[in-house]
Amino acid sequence: MEYPIKLPETTIENFYRKLENGELAAAKCSKCGLTIFPPRPLCPSCYSESLEWVELEREGEVVTYTIIHVAPPDFKPPYIVAVVKLKNNIKIIGILKEDISEVKIGLKVKIEVEGRRGEGWPSHPRIIFTKSNKS
Amino acid sequence: MSPLASIVSAGMSRFGRREGLYWRELFLEAFKEVIDRCPNLDPKKDIKAIYLGMMSSEYERQGHTGATASTWAGLLPVEAIRTEAACASAGAAVRFGVAMVASGLHDVVLVGGVEKMTHRPTPEVTSFLATADDFHFDQWHGLTFPGFFALMAVAHFNRYGSNEEDLARVAVKNHKNGALNPKAHFQKEITLEEALKSRVVAWPLKLYDCCPITDGASLLLITRPDIARRFTDTPVNIIGQGFACGSILAFEKDFEKVSFESNVEAARQAYLMAKVKPKDIDVAEIHDCFTIAELIEYEDLGFCRKGEGSRMIREGIVELGGKIPINTSGGLKCKGHPVGATGAAQLYEIYLQLTNQAGRRQVRGAEIGLAHNLGGPGASAVVTICSR
């Protein structure tokens, strides 16, 4: 009996690979239709492995935030970490690059990408929010 | 329903900056108290297992926690393992002990937890603690642990009209209690002004909204209820317990209701099993790693309605002498938070309260107590209800 090595597509590594190319993606279960963010290789609802990428919209609204003053290495405080809700109710986390005086719950933001994958580990690009021109 | 298990003895090391000691030595300090409190115990004959919570073996580069503890306690060859559920690691150890006793596999077990943290520089400690939250999304975008609880605080302020002063009041209350606890890390009161003026860590949380980095150990001796009186005339019975997980992703939390689903579910299980209601609780130790956590927990554990947490602290309902005194030990904020020990240290306080040994912070006539232990971004919650 053979046990072929399966390479799942909707993994964290692949998510960041796509993000690096400017694509903000979630997994979508082709069996039950659930949109899954962050993506994972097994649908947490129906346990199907039949998952494909679906692109997420690049605009949302701040649901909560904090201003970090005591930061981990590699981060220069103060900076704003925000949770943003997209239209389809999916929430994502990122760094809000705006003046501290500008941030508030309900702020409409655009979603962008910063950085590229490097040599060492860990090395992912980062999700960045900026104020949307539309608001 | 008959109790699940009984606590027949308990021990806790002095909490604080314990220079010159390693965790196995702090563990022995708590173990000695367990033995001394229980003259009828023959440790080598009676104790059948050790379940010990510890969040990170990184602090001392010492893994294999169970065997290390068993060796130092002179309890070889009893089985011993470490449990890990971030800040709820000791809660998880108690859960294990209760399960073993309730199943009949063992009749007497030693449970608890330990963490030695202060010998490492703060940035290292912070990075070990951060591993209790999702790495690839939360931490990767610069979210710290105080930062996560700050996300909850901003949402709570916005939804329910609570404010920074309410949070400072929680710190002031817990320091007032901790000043009466000779084993607490800090044993001094603070003022509202001091708390509000302390430096910002992750806005709106300030230094005095955050629990300290602390060394310490705490242990409980747990037995089958039917043999408890062989060891003590005043056993404390575990009459209900719940354990539930919530998402490891900080950004996935319920920022609309501003609640931890793990708290609500663990409490539901525990109340149902114990057949008691929140209003029946006489004294509680709840997980105040950050002041906002305590405020949210008043609500999640059913001590008030959702959104009314501020009223509990503003009106003194949760103070010593109030309707339901909360964190009489000083809580994590003042007693200290040696991460892996906390869940057991909370039950140590409940044990003292229900056996009328809490000294100047005794809640008169306390009969039913609750301990609530939370891990990570609200990702593990253990609720234990005890009666005397």
Side-chain angles (χ1 to χ4, degrees), chain A residues 34-89:
Chain A
L34 186 73
T35 303
I36 305 148
F37 184 84
R40 55 207 82 168
L42 184 66
C43 173
S45 180
C46 75
Y47 301 115
S48 162
E49 287 174 307
S50 175
L51 296 146
E52 46 199 48
W53 291 110
V54 55
E55 204 155 343
L56 293 172
E57 59 199 303
R58 302 292 286 263
E59 292 194 351
E61 197 177 297
V62 171
V63 292
T64 190
Y65 64 93
T66 175
I67 304 154
I68 305 285
H69 287 254
V70 178
D74 305 340
F75 286 86
K76 228 177 105 192
Y79 58 95
I80 306 164
V81 178
V83 177
V84 163
K85 190 158 85 176
L86 312 181
K87 267 195 223 111
N88 54 5
N89 272 334

Side-chain angles (χ1 to χ4, degrees), chain A residues 19-23 58 111-115 125-128:
Chain A
L19 191 70
E20 189 177 31
N21 295 325
E23 209 180 317
R58 302 292 286 263
I111 300 157
E112 290 166 357
V113 187
E114 193 178 86
R126 287 196 168 92
I127 297 168
I128 301 296

Side-chain angles (χ1 to χ4, degrees), chain B residues 50-278:
Chain B
I50 307 170
Y51 304 118
L52 200 62
M54 181 186 286
M55 188 201 150
S56 179
S57 51
E58 293 292 320
Y59 292 105
E60 282 186 33
R61 297 185 184 154
Q62 178 59 64
H64 216 158
T65 309
T68 308
S70 190
T71 306
W72 247 246
L75 288 177
L76 296 173
V78 305
E79 72 176 68
I81 57 168
R82 163 180 159 199
T83 57
E84 191 272 312
C87 309
S89 292
V94 177
R95 177 70 163 177
F96 247 89
V98 166
M100 285 299 185
V101 161
S103 73
L105 194 61
H106 291 313
D107 53 4
V108 181
V109 297
L110 185 67
V111 302
V114 59
E115 206 90 53
K116 177 73 177 74
M117 310 170 76
T118 66
H119 59 292
R120 301 295 290 266
T122 302
E124 286 182 9
V125 174
T126 309
S127 70
F128 300 153
L129 291 174
T131 64
D133 185 19
D134 162 76
F135 176 77
H136 292 285
F137 297 90
D138 293 335
Q139 288 185 56
W140 187 248
H141 291 93
L143 188 68
T144 59
F145 242 92
F148 165 64
F149 281 92
L151 293 177
M152 295 299 284
V154 168
H156 198 275
F157 291 2
N158 182 62
R159 173 77 195 266
Y160 300 116
S162 50
N163 56 44
E164 291 174 61
E165 196 170 303
D166 293 328
L167 302 188
R169 279 181 204 283
V170 172
V172 170
K173 186 245 324 161
N174 289 350
H175 271 269
K176 198 171 162 191
N177 294 346
L180 305 175
N181 183 353
K183 287 191 177 181
H185 188 159
F186 305 119
Q187 293 168 34
K188 62 170 187 135
E189 299 195 17
I190 58 164
T191 65
L192 201 62
E193 291 68 38
E194 281 173 311
L196 285 168
K197 278 186 186 150
S198 60
R199 74 186 159 91
V200 179
V201 174
W203 187 86
L205 299 185
K206 293 167 281 297
L207 186 64
Y208 278 36
D209 290 305
C210 310
C211 66
I213 293 164
T214 302
D215 306 324
S218 186
L219 294 168
L220 310 163
L221 191 66
I222 286 184
T223 73
R224 255 177 24 216
D226 59 305
I227 62 165
R229 284 184 190 272
R230 227 198 271 164
F231 299 97
T232 177
D233 294 332
T234 55
V236 164
N237 291 317
I238 295 177
I239 58 173
Q241 192 177 56
F243 192 157
C245 288
S247 174
I248 191 68
L249 300 159
F251 68 86
E252 232 178 36
K253 297 291 137 175
D254 187 344
F255 297 111
E256 276 169 37
K257 209 191 279 175
V258 201
S259 166
F260 294 125
E261 66 269 50
S262 55
N263 285 344
V264 174
E265 174 58 18
R268 188 193 66 78
Q269 293 173 14
Y271 286 130
L272 185 71
M273 193 182 283
K275 292 193 171 66
V276 301
K277 294 200 156 54

Side-chain angles (χ1 to χ4, degrees), chain B residues 24-44:
Chain B
R24 60 185 89 178
E25 292 148 350
L26 291 169
F27 160 78
L28 287 187
E29 192 176 315
F31 181 51
K32 183 68 166 77
E33 185 182 340
V34 168
I35 297 170
D36 288 349
R37 278 181 182 274
C38 196
N40 293 345
L41 175 74
D42 180 344
K44 291 184 199 295

